[in-house]
Amino acid sequence: MTGKRLLARTGWAMLAGMIVFLMISAVQSQATPIRPDLQKMIKQSEQGRQLFIPARAGWAEPAAAAITVNPLLESLGGEKLRHDLRDELATIATPDPWIALALVTLILLMRKLRSIEAQKNRARAAGLVLEMPAPEVQRAA
């Protein structure tokens, strides 16, 4: 099968899939309404919370209190790594002045454009108002 025919078939298949999805999503669905039982909810709230005690299988208190230090990880993640990460975060958090200048310029230009459009609209509105000439009073002769 050539590439164009395959592309055409997949395009039609995607279009058909989207049409089926839109038709299915447009169908009004019905659900069983939930009728809460107030008495049951009150009883559940009065029971209080059930406390789950963590399992202690194979857990000795003194061993858990002692923290073992991996010397390899400590050498890799020492003060130098923290300092490098802090510097990198400071660099990321500092905004680029050119982007800030571009955003401020864009905002000012859009405001100027809005004021120019408002002036044009006022001029158009003033031009549409036609003054009717005062009716001439005919004098009876």
Side-chain angles (χ1 to χ4, degrees):
M1 198 177 289
T2 63
K4 288 184 180 181
R5 290 179 69 190
L6 181 64
L7 185 63
R9 282 190 178 185
T10 56
W12 284 109
M14 288 178 57
L15 180 62
M18 284 193 289
I19 290 172
V20 169
F21 174 75
L22 289 174
M23 289 175 63
I24 290 173
S25 64
V27 175
Q28 192 175 30
S29 63
Q30 296 180 2
T32 306
I34 298 173
R35 292 184 179 87
D37 185 13
L38 294 179
Q39 297 298 327
K40 185 177 179 182
M41 291 173 64
I42 291 172
K43 287 178 185 176
Q44 286 178 350
S45 66
E46 290 174 352
Q47 285 178 354
R49 291 190 170 185
Q50 184 178 2
L51 298 175
F52 293 98
I53 301 170
R56 299 181 126 196
W59 182 39
E61 293 286 333
I67 298 174
T68 58
V69 177
N70 188 342
L72 179 63
L73 286 178
E74 195 61 34
S75 67
L76 292 176
E79 188 63 33
K80 183 179 182 325
L81 181 63
R82 278 185 286 234
H83 183 67
D84 291 344
L85 287 175
R86 189 178 306 124
D87 289 344
E88 189 173 344
L89 286 174
T91 304
I92 292 170
T94 305
D96 186 14
W98 291 108
I99 293 176
L101 179 66
L103 289 174
V104 169
T105 305
L106 181 68
I107 290 169
L108 292 176
L109 287 175
M110 289 177 74
R111 286 185 179 192
K112 182 66 176 171
L113 180 66
R114 187 190 306 170
S115 67
I116 290 171
E117 287 293 324
Q119 288 175 354
K120 285 183 182 178
N121 288 339
R122 277 182 270 165
R124 284 185 197 138
L128 292 178
V129 177
L130 300 175
E131 293 184 21
M132 298 298 290
E136 294 181 18
V137 179
Q138 294 181 357
R139 294 183 190 173

